[in-house]
Amino acid sequence: MERPVPGGLRGMKEEEEEEERVLVSEHSWRPCPTARRRVRGCLEWVRRQLFRVGEDWYFLFILGVLMATISFAMDIVTTRIHAAHTWLYREIGDIGVLKYLSWTLFPTALAAFSTGFSQSITPHSGGSGIPELKTILMGVVLEDYLAIQNFGAKVVGLTCTLTCGSTVFLGKVGPYVHLSAMAAAYLGKMRTTVTREYENKFKQHEMLVAAQAVGVATVFGAPISGVLFSIEVMSPHFAVRDYWRGFFAASCGAFMFRLLAVFNSEQETIAAVFKSDLKIDFPFDLLETFFFLILGTICGIVACAYLFCQRWMMVAVKRNWLTAKLLATDKPVYTVLAVLLLASITFPPGLGQFMASRLTMKEHLISLFDNRTWGLLATNASGVAKPGGLWQEWDHPSATIYGTLAFFLLMKFWMLILATTLPLPAGYFMPIFIYGAAIGRLMGEVVALLFPRGLHSEGPPRPILPAGYALAGAAAFAGSVTHAVSTALLVCEATGHLGHLLPTVLAVLVANAISQKNQPSFYDAGIIVKKLPYLPPIRSRHMASYRVTVEEFMERQVVALAKGDGFQEVLVALDASADAEYPVVESTGSPTLVGTVSRSQLVTFLQSHEHPQAPQGEKLATVGTLGDDCTIEPIMLQFSPWTSLHQAYHLFQLLKLQRVFVTRSGELVGAVSRAELRRAIEDLANPK
């Protein structure tokens, strides 16, 4: 039998054992406590000194450098693998079957691996990610799209997609913006850990805004247009206080991206990504402005046709029983079939010889920006300065350069639309950028053919530069598809040429005027097709959005609670609605709105109060009321029944609102959420 130890002796014994454990712990696991305290103090002092200017600077710098390094490494890997594919295709010889298999199976295998790998990790890694990110910046919570596990899947999948080259004809701008956003979200969590602050949603939004600019800047090496493009495409309303963050992070990323090219001996100094050698002493004549306006009109019309067909294709793929089944259960199989078709068409001995299919996407763009006139080079063999130049890929013995450019535009129109349906990580800005450059190049060559001595209002005649039209076409078509004007500056930053800035801006404005009037942007179309939570734009005032009031479309049956409600009333409210917050009124007889209470607080209220009908012995707490035990948050914004649809729409967009309550003389009469607002705008645009 164990004897009981007296209380006093037992207490002394426990104190001695505790003291012994503390001494053992201090001496065996944490040696040199004085030195450790000094080191900890030094680190704390360094942290205070570093963050004296603001911790945002350091994390934005890390974001820019990190994404530039990943982008450069991705380009290096893509270039090496593509070089291996080219070597394999060249070394096989003249055996047609083997050449066909090497040309088609290589991109097909890479695209299938990209789809299978990314989709096996997360289904949110496919596509560009910009529609989802744009929805997040509107205030909708889509946490899965910014999860860090998507990062690795998207990096590997995007690298494989880019390695397919011009066969699939897809880029990396959109996915890289998504990657930057995921990195920014993760760095934001690290910042809160280091600074020991609470997680602030406004800080998260600021980091995401900066990440947009970094994603564009580290692809094109263009910090200024990267910031402007991200503002135009991603944010319906932009806070000026976020401008310096995006500009600083984009500048760090673009500088690091070009600096790595110098370290890798690709460039002698920091230069443009698609450096051109256009003459800038007299880039264009005033009379050529007319042709640049025509080019903008053509790009706007073609962009409308492209946007309509692309949106129709996305819907048709989902409705067709075969493609819908493949996309639901066997995505790699759908990718294999589509890429095999695209690769077969671009096979160089076949139709690919009329589309310059042996060029990479970067070589496509560099060749289209060539400052020489191809029509003269093709007719005059002695004028070829560099035998084997990139422009010769567009010159075919049985077809002129005008025929190859026209055939390229005709085939790539539907091939690019088909490629946008592939369920793999891919960007769609670079393909439309090249497509627009081809439109401009064709028009420039036609103008040079019609006016061989050039246009001149006065003075000696000066020749036409088709490359200037290619610059304007790339900016106009890409701008009209994305509804952005900053592409005019983007093409100038990417090429280092500012001589054609004015006609490029004119072409972009004309193309945007046509496209924005008739079609939603490429990324807005993705939001519509994917049925993401969004607010369709109110396009013009003739829709009478000022005359429609909130009272006409608000939700009238609102589940509300009174301050004096108890367990039973709260339980009924939670069962009746799954809202995140519930309005609280003064009393049942006086429905004056006093504030809101969150659902989590109501659940805690139920857990701390037993059901009134429970047995008497099981009641662990006294019955209380909602007003006594829950924190009621005050209402910061509320609508009047006479608030117009136009005002409500802009407030939702500006303040990233999810739900607003409607009151008349302080009394709760309804609520407006994004769903009611969207239905009201759609009914106004398409009246029954």
Side-chain angles (χ1 to χ4, degrees), residues 217-232:
T218 51
V219 173
F220 290 100
I224 301 176
S225 54
V227 174
L228 298 179
F229 181 79
S230 64
I231 293 174
E232 284 187 293

Side-chain angles (χ1 to χ4, degrees), residues 95-405:
I95 305 176
V97 177
L98 294 180
K99 291 178 74 69
Y100 173 78
L101 292 177
S102 66
W103 180 265
T104 56
L105 294 183
F106 189 85
T108 301
L110 286 172
F113 176 78
S114 174
T115 302
F117 180 81
S118 59
Q119 293 291 332
S120 63
I121 295 179
T122 169
H124 308 302
S125 59
S128 68
I130 287 186
E132 292 82 5
L133 184 58
K134 188 173 182 179
T135 305
I136 292 173
L137 292 174
M138 289 180 183
V140 181
V141 179
L142 299 175
E143 296 180 353
D144 294 338
Y145 286 95
L146 297 180
I148 195 61
Q149 58 263 27
N150 296 0
F151 192 89
K154 199 130 192 171
V155 167
V156 176
L158 179 60
T159 303
C160 295
T161 302
L162 296 176
T163 309
C164 298
S166 58
T167 300
V168 183
F169 212 66
L170 294 173
K172 74 172 186 176
V173 176
Y176 214 73
V177 173
H178 189 194
L179 288 173
S180 300
M182 287 186 282
Y186 187 73
L187 287 175
K189 295 179 180 179
M190 290 181 59
R191 185 189 62 81
T192 56
T193 303
V194 173
T195 58
R196 299 174 184 176
E197 296 178 355
Y198 66 93
E199 193 170 357
N200 192 344
K201 292 184 178 180
F202 293 102
K203 283 290 184 182
Q204 294 177 357
H205 185 269
E206 292 169 356
M207 292 292 288
L208 291 180
V209 170
Q212 307 166 25
V214 172
V216 180
T218 51
V219 173
F220 290 100
I224 301 176
S225 54
V227 174
L228 298 179
F229 181 79
S230 64
I231 293 174
E232 284 187 293
V233 172
M234 306 296 295
S235 305
H237 295 278
F238 183 77
V240 180
R241 68 174 184 273
D242 297 333
Y243 177 76
W244 73 267
R245 292 181 174 87
F247 191 83
F248 176 73
S251 300
C252 293
F255 183 81
M256 187 65 184
F257 183 74
R258 303 311 305 146
L259 196 63
L260 289 173
V262 177
F263 290 160
N264 199 46
S265 301
E266 295 182 6
Q267 299 284 346
E268 295 181 358
T269 184
I270 296 178
V273 178
F274 308 105
K275 186 173 177 57
S276 60
D277 54 353
L278 292 174
K279 300 176 182 179
I280 59 174
D281 52 348
F282 195 86
F284 66 96
D285 194 273
L286 183 61
L287 296 177
E288 290 186 62
T289 307
F290 173 73
F291 292 102
F292 281 102
L293 294 177
I294 295 178
L295 176 61
T297 304
I298 294 174
C299 289
I301 295 174
V302 176
C304 290
Y306 171 79
L307 291 171
F308 174 80
C309 295
Q310 193 272 337
R311 193 170 67 254
W312 176 86
M313 186 68 176
M314 293 290 291
V315 176
V317 166
K318 290 186 176 182
R319 290 181 177 177
N320 182 269
W321 68 271
L322 178 59
T323 55
K325 182 179 179 180
L326 291 177
L327 289 174
T329 58
D330 300 303
K331 290 184 175 66
V333 176
Y334 176 83
T335 301
V336 167
L337 295 176
V339 175
L340 185 61
L341 174 63
L342 297 175
S344 300
I345 294 175
T346 57
F347 183 49
L351 295 177
Q353 61 186 321
F354 303 103
M355 297 186 291
S357 60
R358 288 186 295 183
L359 298 179
T360 63
M361 296 187 69
K362 185 174 182 179
E363 290 173 344
H364 269 104
L365 208 54
I366 294 176
S367 64
L368 293 171
F369 290 159
D370 189 359
N371 68 326
R372 297 170 295 180
T373 304
W374 294 352
L376 297 178
L377 294 177
T379 56
N380 185 10
S382 62
V384 180
K386 296 181 180 179
L390 296 179
W391 76 272
Q392 289 188 343
E393 294 291 333
W394 299 92
D395 185 24
H396 194 269
S398 60
T400 63
I401 58 165
Y402 312 101
T404 55
L405 285 171

Side-chain angles (χ1 to χ4, degrees), residues 114 443 462 546:
S114 174
M443 183 169 183
R462 297 176 176 86
Y546 287 98

Side-chain angles (χ1 to χ4, degrees), residues 610-623:
E610 294 297 326
H611 197 284
Q613 298 179 358
Q616 189 68 27
E618 297 182 7
K619 292 185 178 181
L620 304 179
T622 58
V623 178

